[in-house]
Amino acid sequence: MDSIPPTSLRSGFELHQSEYEQAALDALRSGTYISGPLLEKFEKEFAEFIGVEHTVGLNSGLDALVLAIRASGIGKGDEVIVPANTYIATVMAITINGAIPIFCEPDQYFNIDPAKIEELVTEKTKAVLVVHLYGQACQMEPIVQLCKQYQLFLLEDCAQSHGAKFAGTVTGTFGEIGCFSFYPTKNLGAFGDAGAITTDNFVLADHIRTLGNYGSHKKYYNEVVGTNSRLDEIQAALLSVKLQHLGELTQERQRLASLYNSGITNPLIAKPQVAPKSDHIYHQYVIQCSSREHLQQYLRNLGIGTLIHYPIPPHLSEAYAFLGYQRGDFPITEQQADQVLSLPLYNGMTEPQVERVIEVLNRYQGE
Ligand SMILES: *Cc1c(COP(=O)(O)O)cnc(C)c1O
């Protein structure tokens, strides 16, 4: 059998290749490349899909987070509670704004542990920024409650959770602002960098749109010092195509994941669990193994590629040495970082490929 890559963007592209090509060609021929009707159309479609009043297209998921935090009035010296086990962009969005990340340990579902947030709240706390990691919605009920009680902003990093629900409600609608990435590997991935925010609040949406356009509503009249973060017409057109197919693409991921769920029986491997009331859209299918490096090498030798999301938690990253954390400060996060492994799972992956991964995993005998 041919080797199996950890992910394949090409196979996802090929599923609807002619539609993407036509959309890109139409966008090229339109003569408008930034802030035109294709962006407007996608923003409307995405707002409808999530079930919010407003979507603002931006240049990346990081920009969505940075501008959401800034528009919430969070800045120098303010504290933002954030899961310790996240992609570092979530944390950078906080520190870029001069605010301080306060790390919270995850639960067994890899999401922020709702029972551990309250003890982190201080007088400086301004917001809780949750991350629906790997495509599974956080336990939002207690988190929404806590944010109400302490009057904290609730922001959601939905970079991995396009369409995932908690108790029937779509992620990106629980807090004031939902922040999305459309980086190519995400479930709703563009063909370049792209991102967006979702909100029901017109003032916040308008503020973020202005910040992403040099702080300007009207050309050459700049009200605040903003930045350049716009979602261009070609990416918007391609995202509109993919959004139309997102339901079936998500179902494909869930079907492949359910094969892993029922097929993997090796006691050396812990499968991902789905929390009560949470939806999982399987942005990643993440197993845990105490001999992770050995398992990864074993799979590599047999032609199966895997990835690690993420090997170094933000508090131990060189970039955040200045925060002064050490190994041992967040033991659950660190253990997950040492043991997680993302199996191949992507649109266009075939069932025989999944069966092959399962068979090889079940034959694994440890170190
Ligand atoms: C991808 C990702 C981001 C950043 O998105 P970009 O579009 O790459 O800037 C932020 N948070 C999480 C959890 C992500 O997975």
Side-chain angles (χ1 to χ4, degrees):
M1 175 167 246
D2 290 340
S3 64
I4 301 172
T7 186
S8 166
L9 294 175
R10 175 176 281 275
S11 70
F13 165 65
E14 285 171 353
L15 289 177
H16 304 103
Q17 179 168 349
S18 59
E19 289 174 62
Y20 293 127
E21 289 177 351
Q22 190 58 54
L25 201 55
D26 289 347
L28 281 173
R29 289 175 175 168
S30 75
T32 301
Y33 305 113
I34 299 271
S35 302
L38 297 171
L39 173 63
E40 208 171 301
K41 175 170 176 285
F42 172 70
E43 286 179 341
K44 213 162 145 262
E45 291 166 351
F46 194 68
E48 224 159 82
F49 170 72
I50 296 296
V52 288
E53 293 289 320
H54 311 283
T55 289
V56 179
L58 299 163
N59 211 328
S60 69
L62 175 66
D63 280 0
L65 289 159
V66 168
L67 297 180
I69 290 168
R70 183 170 166 194
S72 302
I74 296 163
K76 203 161 185 303
D78 294 334
E79 293 181 354
V80 178
I81 297 172
V82 66
N85 65 322
T86 182
Y87 181 53
I88 202 159
T90 322
V91 180
M92 286 193 176
I94 297 168
T95 58
I96 285 169
N97 277 292
I100 302 159
I102 302 296
F103 296 113
C104 183
E105 288 268 50
D107 56 19
Q108 72 267 40
Y109 309 106
F110 302 115
N111 276 328
I112 191 166
D113 189 337
K116 292 184 179 156
I117 298 174
E118 189 166 13
E119 64 202 58
L120 301 174
V121 175
T122 72
E123 296 199 329
K124 291 188 193 158
T125 310
K126 286 283 159 59
V128 177
L129 170 51
V130 300
V131 182
H132 307 289
L133 202 67
Y134 306 146
Q136 174 163 213
C138 297
Q139 294 293 297
M140 293 311 293
E141 225 162 62
I143 299 172
V144 167
Q145 180 60 34
L146 181 131
C147 287
K148 270 208 187 102
Q149 188 186 333
Y150 289 93
Q151 298 190 320
L152 304 176
F153 265 92
L154 175 54
L155 304 173
E156 297 176 76
D157 182 338
C158 304
Q160 305 189 1
S161 72
H162 313 82
K165 294 173 185 167
F166 173 77
T169 302
V170 190
T171 54
T173 64
F174 288 94
E176 275 74 22
I177 307 171
C179 304
F180 289 83
S181 167
F182 306 124
Y183 183 76
T185 58
K186 311 289 175 169
N187 286 31
L188 179 61
F191 295 79
D193 273 313
I197 62 93
T198 55
T199 182
D200 280 328
N201 183 322
F202 171 77
V203 176
L204 285 175
D206 185 59
H207 193 187
I208 289 171
R209 188 183 298 286
T210 307
L211 288 174
N213 189 34
Y214 298 112
S216 156
H217 272 100
K218 189 175 160 201
K219 215 169 189 172
Y220 307 126
Y221 289 81
N222 304 80
E223 302 148 35
V224 288
V225 180
T227 184
N228 174 357
S229 185
R230 297 174 298 219
L231 176 53
D232 67 63
E233 290 286 282
I234 289 183
Q235 296 305 334
L238 294 167
L239 283 164
S240 283
V241 172
K242 192 171 273 185
L243 183 58
Q244 281 190 336
H245 296 292
L246 189 58
E248 63 196 84
L249 294 172
T250 298
Q251 277 173 16
E252 181 182 41
R253 283 177 184 274
Q254 289 170 328
R255 191 167 43 76
L256 298 172
S258 75
L259 293 177
Y260 278 140
N261 282 334
S262 55
I264 299 170
T265 54
N266 190 331
L268 297 173
I269 290 161
K271 293 180 277 189
Q273 301 170 56
V274 180
K277 300 193 211 168
S278 283
D279 235 20
H280 207 318
I281 59 164
Y282 292 101
H283 172 59
Q284 302 293 349
Y285 188 94
V286 178
I287 60 168
Q288 282 174 281
C289 178
S290 57
S291 52
R292 192 259 317 273
E293 312 305 326
H294 184 260
L295 174 62
Q296 187 174 36
Q297 187 58 47
Y298 161 84
L299 291 168
R300 193 179 296 130
N301 291 343
L302 292 165
I304 296 169
T306 56
L307 293 168
I308 297 169
H309 301 97
Y310 300 89
I312 303 171
H315 74 279
L316 297 180
S317 147
E318 196 183 336
Y320 285 117
F322 71 88
L323 292 175
Y325 290 108
Q326 293 173 4
R327 182 162 269 277
D329 286 341
F330 299 96
I332 301 171
T333 296
E334 291 162 20
Q335 184 180 345
Q336 289 180 358
D338 291 341
Q339 300 197 350
V340 292
L341 191 66
S342 305
L343 299 184
L345 181 82
Y346 47 87
N347 290 119
M349 188 178 183
T350 65
E351 289 191 14
Q353 286 177 314
V354 176
E355 298 297 348
R356 162 82 180 153
V357 177
I358 292 169
E359 178 215 326
V360 169
L361 278 174
N362 285 341
R363 274 196 277 121
Y364 178 63
Q365 297 189 328
E367 272 181 302

